[in-house]
Each structure stands twice: as structure tokens, then as C-alpha cells.
Amino acid sequence: ISSQVGVVGGSSHSTFLSFSSLVVMNVTPGAISRIYNGDVTGHPVVQVIDVKKITTQAANQDRWRLVISDGAHYQQAMLATQLNDVVRNNQLTKNCLIKMVEFLCNTISNRKIVIILGLEVVSEAITAIGAPTNIEQAAGSGAASGNAPAAINAPAATAAPAQPPVQYQPNSGRTAPAANPAPAQAPNYQPNAGRNFPAQQKPSSFGQAANQNASAFVPIAGLNQYMTKWTIKARVTSRSDLRSWSKNGRSGSLFNVDLLDSEGGEMRGIFFNEAAEKWSQLLQLDKVYTFPKGSLKVADRRFCSPSMQYECSWDAHADIQEVANDDNIQKMKFSFVPISSIQTVPANTTIDIIGVVQSAQPISSIVIKSSGQERKKRNISLVDESRTAIDVTLWGDKAERPDEDFQVGTIMCIKSCRVSDYGGKSLGTVQSSYIDFNPDIAESSKLRAWYDYQGKDQPISSLSGNSGGAGAAGNIQTARKTLGQIKDENIGHDEKPAWFSCKVTLTFIKRDQDRPIWYMACPNNGCNKKVLESNGSWRCEACQKEFSNAEPRYILSVTGGDPTGTAYFNAFNEVGAVILGRSASDLKAFKDANDEPAYDACFEEANFKTYLFKVRAKLDKYQDESRVRLNIHSAEPVDFVTESRYMISEIKKYVEVM
């Protein structure tokens, strides 16, 4: 059905439009005037007459400025960052119609700007409606033209009635919330009226907060940087120790907590200097508090869980109050990431993980070079239903738990561990990490059933270059490559190291008469740095200590081959002991005793044996020449049963392709 339209919003022209187009072309009359005067109720439909990207100081954070019109007036607007994808995906374009589901009108630099927090695109781009004028000029003159109300200084009598409150969902900003009102039991949160929360009775001292209505609290998920007043009620689910920081000649103290509210919203709370000193003494784990408005900013993904949209800092004078326990607030909330998906997670991202302990190393320690302090660490390997394993490094008190906690088959969940690219992909705990063993949650029960009946006998792939399996040799498989593929696919030529496994037969181990295949290392557990002999003792510059003895550690260069080619590899202490069948101390003893037959026999026996290597390939420069260094991070003699199964599976894949 077509109909001829003569005048649209005061503009004379003729065009033919379908019946459906006539429906979506309706904008809400007088909407801009009412919004300008503070009426932010209802869901007005407006036309976007301009879209512009603006530059901000925040790294990697685009902002979009809009100009919106009701056909009579136009006004500037800003799009909340959680709605950026609507512009990037070309859903919101110039001259399209949008329904503003949630919005504010704030005064910024003496200008009134509409902040759009939720919207629905109701029409693609159409002809511009009317000849709108600047609402600020119209307000200054006290009159309006076109379809505007007769008076700008008061909301129009025909203003749309207030709509039921809409639950704000910041992570679903591309579409409007459901049209139906929220169920009766849903929190009665109206973000558009966030500036008019009921006055709260101020307690006389910390820990004696007055009873407050749930309606007085804003859900964490509903917070945004444009709200001028808010209070949240949340549980402290994690807290760090008070620690010192120093940067660019400045220093101070730092303390942080993780907060969780009754709707499952999470946020990081941060305190500096005087505030850190005070609140680190008062905020206790698992207690519930009310937190007033603080300094809100977008969460730093290096330190915050992906479920946290914002982080907030408070000063020493903030009116934070302890309240009675609220059973509606969980003790802890997890957002688990499958281990196989970590392959695509950027480095330094903080995530939650659950897995079965596949292997665990004894506790060890390292010396931090910058501070000279010793830190405890423990390396474990976790596997989950995706049949993928990953190495996890536990630091500090988390590593010092009893060895019995890390038995093979134990289910372990970690909240807030950091992703690293070192050794393929790996994880490490941070100060605010929370660890639980065999937790009483649904994910744990499901994982236990999988592991007991299937997982412990299935082949597992690893995202980490150093993973050690708990089962048969070769059970852990990284991407298998031939030596010919290393060259053909230019493996190792990217900026980041490449990890792969290969089956190699050793053909040569380099050894020089004047240069041993070991170096003398610091005997301090976990250091392994080269030491220098001086006056009968050995000095480690890293530890700043002298020792009466030093430990020989292998540093080998070997050549290996397969049917597709040959390659040169570097191998270090643990791998060297596997290849030569003896420790570096043993070979040094043969050399010192001039027992050349025993020394030579070690090399003769090592040649022409076949191993499965896990290799790290990295582009390196030597004497201004670029070359790929292949470092062997683990070596295992071939388990012929496991290798036969692997070859059969590869043949089946080949047959399926054919």
C-alpha cells in the first residue's frame, strides 16, 4: 500500500512511502523540549541527525556524540560507552529513528547534554524530519517554532505518561530491555531518577548504619559515570593486603576489595594512601557494607574480572557503613572461562577458572631481582571438560598450602587469576585471587563426573609449553609439527613465541674440548643464575650472596631430524638430563677425573634416540642476523602405544578428508 505525503514536520515535499514506513516515521512531538527541561520519563522516539566520533583521553575508549531531533528542536547527546557497538555495527546511523529507553540530561560545561544509556533502533535512515532549531536558542528566546510546545519553560501538557521502571542491563546495550514491566519482585530501580534517591539517615559511627530500604540502593550493574548520587550495598568477597607503591619518584600505599551485591553485580573498590591505611583496618572479608558515591571509572582489565564493568575509589572520609548480613547476597560469584577458550584471551586479562589438578610441583622460591625479596611459588596443571590443560603459578600464601590440597584429581577453582603469554598460555594468581578446593557448586559436580568416568583416561592438549602430564608419557599434546613445516610455515617469525611439539631423532650433540656443556649456577633454590668464582667461593649477583659451592647446569646445542628435514635445538638442565641420561654434576665429575671413556659413552648412548619435544620458537638476533631459536622445554622418550594411537587418529582424519 502506498500513500502520498505532502508535509512532514513542516517541510513541503512529495514522496511515496509504504504503510510500514509511515508507522516508524513518527517522532515524539515536543520530546526535546521536555528533556531539556528535566523530564526524563517515558521512551521518546527521536531522529538522529548527526553522529560523530570524538577523541577522549581514555586509552582504547571511543565516544560518540549524537545530535537528536523531534522535528522541531535538536539537542546534543552522548552515547554511553556500553552502546558503542550499535554505531560500530552500523545499526545506528545518521537520520535513523531511535527509541530512548533510558537516558539522563546533565549539565556539562554549562550546556545541557542528553546521556543515552539504553536505546532501540526503530527505523533505518529516512528523510530528515522537519527543520529543527537549536533547543538552547529557543529556550533563551522563550519561544519555539514548528511543532514545539507553546512554552519552553514548562513541560508540555501532552507529555507522555511515565512508563514502568526499566531494569538497566549495561551488557545488553544493543537492544532495549523487554517491553513488559519487570516482575513485582524485581528491584524498583529507576536509573533515570537516580538524582532523587531518598535521604539516608547518617549513622553516628562506623558499623552502626541505620536501616535502609532496598529501594535506596542502586544495583552495581546499574551504575554509570553520569549519575550524581548513588549508594550500593555489597559484600566484600575478596580483599588485598595493604601494600606500598612507588612510581616516578612518588610513593604511597594501596588497598583494594572486590564487591558483590544482591543482583550479582561485581565491582573493584580501590583505596590509596590515607584511605588505604584506614579502610584496610575496617573492611572485613565476607561482611556487608553500604558504599556512597565514589570516583567511578571503567575497570582496568589487568586487575578486574571481566564481569566488572567499573572500579571505584573512595577517600578516607567516605561514609562507608557496615550493615547486617544480607542472605540475598552470595558469598562468592564465579564467571568461569573454559580452558580451551583461554587461547584467545589477551595477556594480562583477569579471569575465573575451574579445573581438575592434573599435576603439581613442590613449593619453590625465587628471588625478585628488583627488591631482593624471596617469593614462594608452586606450579600446577589444571584440565577441564574441554580436554585442555593449562599451567597455573600460585604465588605467596596460596602456594604455601599443604601438598595434600594439590593431589591429582582434586577440583580447584580460582577467582581472579591473570592470563600470561609466557610458555604458550599460562595463568598466575594475584593478591586478590581466591582459591577453593572441591567447591560445593554445580560446575564442580559436573566436572567431577566428567573426570571420573572419562577425563582421566582421555588424551589432553595443553595451552602451556611446559605442561607435564600425570598420565602416560606423551599424554599432553601440543600442535604436532614436522621439521619441514617449521620452515614452510615460518613458525617463530611472529612477534610472539610459537609453541609446538615434534618427534625428533637426535643425530648430533655439540661438545667442545675448551668449552663445557654446562655452566656453574647459583645453588639457591629457584635462582639458577650464573655465578662467578672468586677466592674459592661463588658469588651470585642476582641474590647478592656468596656460596661455598655452585651447581652445574646443562646448556646444550643438539641437532635432530625427521623424514622432512633437520633442525638445531637448544636444551637446558632438565631436558639435558633426559637426553644424556645423567645430571650435569655427573658429567663434570667424569671430566674432572679425566675419565674420558665414561664421558664419551654418555654422548654415544644419547645419539639416534627418538623423543617427543615440546618446543618454543622465537625470532632472535645474533650479530645483526635474525634467526629462529628453537628451545626444547620438555623431552620425553616416545611411548609407542600412545604414539600408535596418535598415528591412527591422524590416518582417520586423512581418510575422512579424502
Side-chain angles (χ1 to χ4, degrees):
I1 301 174
S2 296
S3 174
Q4 187 171 10
V5 179
V7 178
V8 180
S11 177
S12 298
H13 62 279
S14 295
T15 185
F16 287 95
L17 299 170
S18 68
F19 179 76
S20 59
S21 296
L22 288 173
V23 175
V24 300
M25 283 186 63
N26 290 331
V27 294
T28 304
I32 300 299
S33 172
R34 289 193 294 274
I35 294 171
Y36 186 84
N37 283 282
D39 181 0
V40 290
T41 60
H43 299 159
V45 175
V46 295
Q47 184 173 37
V48 178
I49 61 175
D50 191 32
V51 183
K52 183 177 181 181
K53 182 178 177 180
I54 61 175
T55 304
T56 66
Q57 295 180 348
N60 301 322
Q61 187 68 73
D62 295 338
R63 296 302 307 273
W64 297 91
R65 186 187 70 189
L66 312 180
V67 179
I68 56 176
S69 162
D70 61 5
H73 298 100
Y74 65 82
Q75 184 175 4
Q76 286 197 19
M78 292 293 295
L79 202 62
T81 54
Q82 65 264 22
L83 301 180
N84 282 353
D85 284 346
V86 183
V87 180
R88 295 193 187 106
N89 297 337
N90 293 321
Q91 293 173 269
L92 189 155
T93 58
K94 184 177 179 181
N95 288 334
C96 75
L97 299 186
I98 62 171
K99 179 195 290 183
M100 296 198 297
V101 176
E102 187 177 334
F103 55 97
L104 305 169
C105 185
N106 285 354
T107 300
I108 302 174
S109 300
N110 297 321
R111 299 184 66 184
K112 289 190 176 182
I113 306 293
V114 179
I115 311 298
I116 303 176
L117 304 172
L119 64 83
E120 178 183 348
V121 178
V122 297
S123 169
E124 297 178 349
I126 60 174
T127 305
I129 300 175
T133 59
N134 191 328
I135 185 64
E136 293 185 338
Q137 296 177 355
S141 65
S145 60
N147 294 331
I152 289 291
N153 295 324
T158 59
Q163 300 294 322
V166 177
Q167 180 66 33
Y168 176 40
Q169 300 176 351
N171 292 330
S172 57
R174 296 188 188 90
T175 60
N180 294 329
Q185 64 270 24
N188 187 26
Y189 168 49
Q190 300 183 41
N192 291 336
R195 294 161 296 199
N196 299 309
F197 288 120
Q200 301 174 18
Q201 179 181 348
K202 184 175 180 180
S204 58
S205 62
F206 180 81
Q208 298 178 347
N211 291 331
Q212 294 173 307
N213 261 328
S215 60
F217 303 119
V218 179
I220 289 176
L223 293 177
N224 64 74
Q225 294 167 290
Y226 307 104
M227 297 174 69
T228 57
K229 184 178 180 182
W230 51 262
T231 301
I232 62 171
K233 183 169 77 168
R235 186 186 302 279
V236 175
T237 59
S238 175
R239 50 163 287 157
S240 71
D241 296 327
L242 181 67
R243 58 192 188 275
S244 301
W245 61 270
S246 178
K247 185 177 181 180
N248 299 330
R250 301 166 56 207
S251 61
S253 54
L254 172 66
F255 168 68
N256 60 264
V257 295
D258 288 347
L259 304 176
L260 174 66
D261 70 5
S262 60
E263 296 192 18
E266 293 184 281
M267 183 169 68
R268 170 65 57 89
I270 306 173
F271 304 87
F272 293 98
N273 305 329
E274 182 185 356
E277 301 281 350
K278 174 182 176 180
W279 296 113
S280 64
Q281 301 295 321
L282 296 175
L283 295 180
Q284 302 299 313
L285 192 65
D286 203 35
K287 298 286 188 180
V288 179
Y289 302 87
T290 60
F291 296 82
K293 182 181 184 298
S295 178
L296 200 66
K297 68 175 184 178
V298 176
D300 189 332
R301 287 286 163 255
R302 295 174 300 170
F303 309 107
C304 297
S305 169
S307 60
M308 297 179 182
Q309 184 179 5
Y310 292 110
E311 59 186 44
C312 188
S313 60
W314 289 273
D315 60 28
H317 305 291
D319 187 20
I320 300 173
Q321 299 293 327
E322 181 180 351
V323 295
N325 183 53
D326 187 342
D327 292 335
N328 293 321
I329 304 178
Q330 302 175 61
K331 300 289 185 181
M332 184 66 66
K333 179 186 176 184
F334 297 98
S335 300
F336 294 124
V337 176
I339 293 178
S340 59
S341 300
I342 299 175
Q343 182 67 50
T344 59
V345 176
N348 295 320
T349 302
T350 302
I351 64 171
D352 302 341
I353 184 177
I354 185 170
V356 182
V357 176
Q358 191 184 44
S359 65
Q361 298 180 9
I363 189 171
S364 61
S365 62
I366 64 169
V367 177
I368 306 300
K369 187 173 182 180
S370 58
S371 62
Q373 295 180 337
E374 184 179 74
R375 289 192 70 188
K376 300 294 185 182
K377 60 175 285 191
R378 185 193 297 266
N379 291 326
I380 65 172
S381 176
L382 296 180
V383 62
D384 70 1
E385 294 165 287
S386 64
R387 297 196 298 175
T388 308
I390 192 167
D391 286 354
V392 183
T393 302
L394 310 177
W395 294 97
D397 58 346
K398 299 170 182 64
E400 297 181 71
R401 298 180 67 111
D403 292 343
E404 293 76 20
D405 287 350
F406 303 99
Q407 291 182 355
V408 172
T410 300
I411 293 180
M412 182 175 173
C413 66
I414 308 175
K415 183 173 181 64
S416 300
C417 52
R418 188 172 299 164
V419 178
S420 170
D421 279 338
Y422 178 76
K425 285 285 187 178
S426 60
L427 300 172
T429 59
V430 294
Q431 263 214 340
S432 59
S433 295
Y434 168 84
I435 296 179
D436 197 3
F437 297 89
N438 297 316
D440 186 16
I441 56 178
E443 292 89 346
S444 178
S445 300
K446 185 179 178 183
L447 189 59
R448 168 60 61 203
W450 168 79
Y451 182 76
D452 288 346
Y453 294 102
Q454 301 178 45
K456 61 184 177 183
D457 298 320
Q458 291 181 332
I460 303 298
S461 62
S462 176
L463 300 182
S464 306
N466 297 325
S467 290
N475 191 40
I476 299 284
Q477 301 171 1
T478 50
R480 179 75 72 90
K481 298 292 183 181
T482 65
L483 299 186
Q485 286 176 309
I486 297 173
K487 296 178 181 178
D488 295 341
E489 298 177 11
N490 291 322
I491 294 175
H493 285 266
D494 296 332
E495 293 183 5
K496 294 183 178 179
W499 291 83
F500 61 90
S501 64
C502 55
K503 185 171 69 172
V504 174
T505 300
L506 290 183
T507 58
F508 179 72
I509 303 174
K510 183 179 180 181
R511 52 177 172 150
D512 296 326
Q513 293 295 329
D514 300 330
R515 185 178 180 182
I517 59 173
W518 58 79
Y519 71 97
M520 303 307 294
C522 174
N524 199 12
N525 189 20
C527 178
N528 301 331
K529 298 294 185 182
K530 186 176 181 179
V531 294
L532 300 175
E533 187 177 14
S534 176
N535 299 324
S537 62
W538 301 89
R539 178 170 177 79
C540 176
E541 294 297 335
C543 297
Q544 294 293 304
K545 293 181 181 179
E546 291 189 356
F547 303 92
S548 59
N549 63 328
E551 177 188 3
R553 293 181 63 85
Y554 282 122
I555 178 167
L556 298 178
S557 294
V558 302
T559 303
D562 70 5
T564 66
T566 60
Y568 300 98
F569 300 89
N570 299 309
F572 299 96
N573 196 56
E574 289 77 9
V575 174
V578 173
I579 290 174
L580 290 170
R582 288 182 175 271
S583 68
S585 297
D586 290 341
L587 265 73
K588 184 178 184 300
F590 293 150
K591 198 71 173 175
D592 292 344
N594 292 320
D595 191 349
E596 294 296 333
Y599 184 79
D600 292 341
C602 295
F603 293 89
E604 292 171 2
E605 293 173 5
N607 273 330
F608 302 107
K609 288 186 176 180
T610 303
Y611 297 90
L612 283 177
F613 288 159
K614 293 185 181 67
V615 181
R616 177 181 184 266
K618 181 73 169 68
L619 194 63
D620 191 19
K621 279 193 175 182
Y622 179 73
Q623 295 182 349
D624 295 329
E625 181 181 348
S626 295
R627 61 179 182 179
V628 175
R629 292 177 62 90
L630 303 177
N631 291 339
I632 306 171
H633 277 252
S634 70
E636 298 174 344
V638 173
D639 181 294
F640 291 103
V641 173
T642 303
E643 184 65 14
S644 297
R645 289 173 179 167
Y646 168 78
M647 295 178 69
I648 290 171
S649 68
E650 291 299 301
I651 292 171
K652 287 181 178 178
K653 292 178 184 177
Y654 178 78
V655 171
E656 289 173 359
V657 172
M658 297 296 292

